[in-house]
Amino acid sequence: MDWRMPAETDPHDRTWLAWPSSGYTLGDTPAAAEEARRVWGSVANAVAEFEPVTVVADPDHAAVAARYLSGDVEIRTAPLDDAWVRDTGPSFVIGTEPEGGQRLGAVTWTFNGWGAQDWASWDNDRLLGATIAEWAGAERVDSQLVNEGGAIHVDGEGTVLLTETVQLDPHRNPGIRHDDVEAELARTIGAATAIWLPRGLTRDSERFGTRGHVDLLATFPTPGAVLLHQQNDDAHPDSAISAQLAERLTGAADASGRALEIIELPAPQRLRDAEGFVDYSYVNHLVVNGGVIACGFDDPNDEAAAHILAEAYPGRTVRTIDARALFARGGGIHCITQQQPALPH
């Protein structure tokens, strides 16, 4: 079976989320829990305006989830540690059989809490990919590679973006080499060309980060083009990182041999919060059927970012949701969602 991960812009059958139910994601006060539930619910309900949505909730929290979710959202139950389904769920692929038929597959990466971080737990979440694969009726494509869905972006035509600080992380895959990763990505998601970015954003590289997920950095709005996080303020350390990323992408070619068109997506003007430099990123959006669910930050650049996204995804409605409560917990809208592609007719 030849597996291929479709572009996020291809038609979806549905989007999956997981419901916050414990730990730092939910928070340790009633106000924090309310904030988490409202933002997760807002994202799920917004996506449900465009396509079917299934939310996985811990059995003890399913009734709570139902109070925040519209009647259009399906709820399923499974034990959970956390709520970042982009990373704990499967990456869906489509397989072509020798006789020409196609089937849905689900790559179940090995998950170890973003590199065995001391603040993470994953006894339940490491099993979630297989559970969702079964519910989706997908053939499992098991992988020994420690990886997360937020650590890869594909153009649907054989090109994958990734970062050297994630797949080559010694706490994830000790001793692994670039070619080992590329061979496994070719097997599981059909990646013929890997474009390695040197690192992630500053805050995402600190103690409570992922060590460099690409879905804060860059994505493909269409094959041959890349939306790139651009920090224009030299007072933020990500300014130098943006320059590094632009240099690497400028010299790269995709699986079809094309030089990449770089579309800058300027970062919000706000540089810091109570914890330090922010990693707010408009790149961390979700493309849905007929729409784009975008991150907002109550920032002067929100409107400009929405305009850039509308031009990058013509014909799609851009819906902006305040994502500051998500980023305060370590991620954004793309991080809490996982698309399931529709099989071609």
Side-chain angles (χ1 to χ4, degrees):
M1 181 77 70
D2 292 327
W3 298 106
R4 176 186 67 88
M5 186 172 176
E8 198 169 301
T9 51
D10 282 7
H12 299 176
D13 184 74
R14 71 182 52 249
T15 285
W16 295 82
L17 290 88
W19 190 252
S21 56
S22 63
Y24 69 95
T25 308
L26 186 64
D28 55 7
T29 67
E34 175 70 10
E35 180 183 62
R37 291 164 178 158
R38 282 191 180 278
V39 70
W40 258 263
S42 294
V43 173
N45 294 336
V47 176
E49 296 178 18
F50 296 89
E51 62 187 63
V53 173
T54 299
V55 172
V56 184
D58 189 272
D60 293 337
H61 290 259
V64 174
R67 298 204 298 267
Y68 293 83
L69 299 171
S70 75
D72 295 327
V73 176
E74 178 189 40
I75 299 174
R76 289 189 176 240
T77 60
L80 297 174
D81 296 299
D82 222 321
W84 308 101
V85 77
R86 175 69 53 177
D87 298 340
T88 58
S91 295
F92 287 101
V93 291
I94 291 176
T96 301
E97 298 171 323
E99 60 273 19
Q102 294 188 313
R103 68 172 67 180
L104 183 68
V107 181
T108 53
W109 310 108
T110 299
F111 180 71
N112 75 342
W114 303 279
Q117 307 251 24
D118 60 4
W119 46 263
S121 57
W122 57 92
D123 286 347
N124 295 314
D125 284 350
R126 67 185 178 85
L127 306 174
L128 186 60
T131 299
I132 291 178
E134 181 178 358
W135 286 338
E139 180 178 334
R140 278 173 51 180
V141 184
D142 294 335
S143 177
Q144 296 301 308
L145 183 71
V146 178
N147 188 39
E148 302 93 36
I152 54 173
H153 256 314
V154 301
D155 66 354
E157 296 186 355
T159 314
V160 61
L161 292 171
L162 63 171
T163 54
E164 293 176 334
T165 52
V166 174
Q167 287 81 11
L168 303 183
D169 176 9
H171 299 282
R172 284 177 167 95
N173 299 298
I176 204 167
R177 301 172 302 179
H178 291 78
D179 55 353
D180 299 322
V181 175
E182 292 173 16
E184 182 63 354
L185 294 179
R187 182 185 76 86
T188 54
I189 65 171
T193 297
I195 300 175
W196 289 89
L197 301 179
R199 56 161 296 168
L201 299 181
T202 299
R203 184 144 170 185
D204 193 39
S205 304
E206 294 172 350
R207 181 166 181 253
F208 293 104
T210 69
R211 301 193 176 118
H213 271 188
V214 77
D215 66 356
L216 290 169
L217 306 176
T219 188
F220 295 106
T222 188
V226 172
L227 281 164
L228 176 64
H229 178 76
Q230 181 65 43
Q231 177 53 258
N232 290 312
D233 194 323
D234 291 342
H236 195 302
D238 286 345
S239 174
I241 294 170
S242 290
Q244 279 186 297
L245 299 175
E247 182 180 7
R248 184 69 62 92
L249 288 168
T250 298
D254 66 13
S256 297
R258 292 172 292 212
L260 297 172
E261 176 193 2
I262 298 175
I263 304 168
E264 292 185 355
L265 196 50
Q269 292 182 24
R270 185 175 183 183
L271 303 184
R272 303 179 68 95
D273 64 7
E275 304 300 322
F277 287 108
V278 298
D279 55 359
Y280 292 170
S281 172
Y282 297 113
V283 170
N284 199 264
H285 55 271
L286 175 71
V287 182
V288 293
N289 294 337
V292 178
I293 311 301
C295 294
F297 304 97
D298 190 25
D299 189 90
N301 283 358
D302 286 358
E303 185 176 351
H307 179 72
I308 293 170
L309 291 173
E311 288 193 335
Y313 299 103
R316 297 181 192 263
T317 301
V318 177
R319 284 282 309 278
T320 299
I321 293 176
D322 192 326
R324 287 175 293 174
L326 290 172
F327 276 79
R329 289 162 170 80
I333 288 173
H334 196 257
C335 306
I336 69 167
T337 55
Q338 179 62 266
Q339 74 277 359
Q340 177 183 325
L343 287 174
H345 295 296

